[in-house]
Amino acid sequence: MNIAIVGSGYVGLVTGTCFAEVGHNVICVDNDDAKVAQLKAGKIPIYEPGLEDLIRKNVQLKRLHFTNSIGEGVEKSQVVFIAVPTPPQHDGSVDLSYVETVARQIAEHIKEYRVVVDKSTVPVKTGEKVAETIRRYAKPGVEFDVVSNPEFLREGSAVEDLMKPDRIVFGVNSSKASALMHEVYSPFNAPIMVTDLNSAELIKHASNSFLALKISYINAVAAICEASGADVEKVAAGMGADKRIGRQFLNAGLGYGGSCFPKDISAFIKISEELGYNFQLLKEVEKINADQGERFLKKLRDKLWVLKDKKIGQLGLAFKGNTDDIRMSVGIRIAEQMVKEGASLLAYDPKGMEKCNQLHPDIKTVNSAYEAANGAEALIIATEWVDFKSLDWVKIRESMRTPLIFDGRNLLDPSEMKSLGFEYYSVGR
Ligand code: UDX
Ligand code: UDX
């Protein structure tokens, strides 16, 4: 099939590449000329495991193309996906201006039947608005359908999530669009669930909020563990062994960050409010998440007394492991707070430093975990990079001024760290 993806960011680029990988002909559109030029020159603007090879392969096979022309995308494709940002506004509601702009631009170029698919995370009823907008700006009589097809990919494992999804959800109001969407997704061999537009949109916000709720739940349990001497890892294992609960997303730590959960949870609260429901439960999820970073910093202050002029190393800036994405990263928030309190901080992240240096010049970065630890009075782990597990911890202990570890992601084994001579603190154990 011929498919266009408007917006070639974390979601659009991976989605377009995976569509090409299963045999579709894909045009990735972006209004950022520099990004398009970069992609055309074979440079990938983001780090995502496996992505670069797939892009190279599908470009060579002439199944993946890049353009800054939305007209070209709409003209050449039966199905046009919208994957532009839907950032939060000050009051927590969603800024839909990019989606609206793209809907208008698509309308201006439609000449014959097209399926317009919203992949961006949007409030329920946005599809109806997109359809209204296209109807208003398109030539009279032009036929089209609007579909909602939420994305469930996680950064860091986006290619795998897309190639082997648990389920594919799309909300449609017409059998013609439904048939085309089945054609798009049949090569993926995954369960397909077809719903109405509004339900598909809600599935995304309800799913992300539920996952965030699981994280806040275990973080609240971690606080009880700390106060009672229990071990949150054992509690999570015991809970997670119940199939109805499941072990995933029960990792206690510094809380959730990233470009999705924080904005989606506040958006869902706002959407509910507008629909007349006070989603108190999700407000508490947000509060627990915000407190989590604070509780961690308090531990640090309790042990180091004052942070001013203390030499502190930090491992991890990305919002999670396996990504270079630092958007809404708890690690960045913690680093900034320590710098603000006068600590002399040196941070390291396997992939997130370039973006950190560009956007947060106040956070000093170094080229290795060992440099961050050298001479430090405390070392913080802020991101769950598995790479940190296999560091030479003996070398690190020997190079630190005082061997204090604050593991914000429960990445290391407490008894092992103690036997290596560290004073080791983690979350909920
Ligand atoms: C996506 C969105 O689909 C969002 O709704 C979801 O919740 C998270 O993921 P993401 O792919 O992470 O956003 O955003 P980003 O990496 O910023 O990429 C968006 C791309 O769209 C950028 O390359 C930007 O240049 C492009 N864009 C933006 C357009 O092409 N046209 C526009 O009008 C606006
Ligand atoms: C999330 C959803 O998982 C995905 O389905 C959706 O499409 C986009 O939003 P993403 O934000 O890429 O994906 O990463 P995710 O793995 O969900 O992690 C989000 C945050 O939660 C990270 O900061 C991570 O560190 C944190 N987290 C995750 C925990 O603190 N504990 C956990 O058990 C899991």
Side-chain angles (χ1 to χ4, degrees), residues 6-12 29-32 35 83-86 98 101-102 105 119-121 155 259-260 263-264 327:
V6 183
S8 305
Y10 281 92
V11 170
V29 183
D30 205 284
N31 68 352
D32 180 341
K35 190 178 263 188
V84 290
T86 47
Y98 299 113
T101 305
V102 169
Q105 291 168 338
K119 201 161 245 316
S120 298
T121 304
E155 288 179 30
S259 70
C260 290
K263 91 168 158 57
D264 290 351
R327 290 179 288 181

Side-chain angles (χ1 to χ4, degrees), residues 375-412:
E377 287 152 274
L379 188 66
I380 288 171
I381 299 175
T383 306
E384 61 273 45
W385 274 101
V386 279
D387 311 37
F388 298 152
K389 281 191 185 187
S390 53
L391 290 169
D392 183 343
W393 285 99
V394 173
K395 184 174 158 186
I396 289 184
R397 193 208 60 228
E398 283 164 1
S399 76
M400 288 178 72
R401 180 156 178 207
T402 48
L404 263 76
I405 304 259
F406 293 86
D407 181 354
R409 296 292 177 180
N410 290 359
L411 206 65
L412 305 170

Side-chain angles (χ1 to χ4, degrees), residues 148-221:
S148 162
N149 171 217
E151 190 46 69
F152 302 107
L153 59 83
R154 288 162 302 173
E155 288 179 30
S157 56
V159 171
E160 206 192 314
D161 288 349
L162 240 150
M163 295 305 288
K164 294 183 203 139
D166 288 349
R167 82 302 204 187
I168 289 155
V169 173
F170 50 79
V172 283
N173 291 337
S174 97
S175 52
K176 193 172 174 183
S178 178
L180 280 166
M181 289 301 289
H182 274 96
E183 227 181 291
V184 170
Y185 278 110
S186 60
F188 289 90
N189 285 324
I192 292 180
M193 303 176 70
V194 185
T195 68
D196 58 281
L197 258 179
N198 290 341
S199 301
E201 287 168 342
L202 260 183
I203 286 170
K204 175 66 189 247
H205 271 126
S207 301
N208 271 5
S209 299
F210 188 78
L211 292 169
L213 181 143
K214 259 187 118 172
I215 298 170
S216 279
Y217 186 84
I218 200 68
N219 281 333
V221 171

Side-chain angles (χ1 to χ4, degrees), residues 25 30 83 106 168 237 248 278 280 307 314 334 367 386 429:
N25 225 329
D30 205 284
I106 292 172
I168 289 155
Q248 289 191 61
N278 179 8
Q280 197 63 45
L307 294 186
Q314 179 169 325
I334 284 183
N367 288 324
V386 279
R429 54 182 192 169

Side-chain angles (χ1 to χ4, degrees), residues 11 26 31 43 70 80-81 85 138 154 213-214 216 229 233 256 292 320 360 399 406 409 411 415:
V11 170
V26 180
N31 68 352
K43 291 199 190 100
I70 202 165
V80 181
F81 283 82
R154 288 162 302 173
L213 181 143
K214 259 187 118 172
S216 279
E233 294 299 318
Y256 60 80
Q292 205 60 12
K320 60 184 265 193
H360 304 276
S399 76
F406 293 86
R409 296 292 177 180
L411 206 65
S415 50

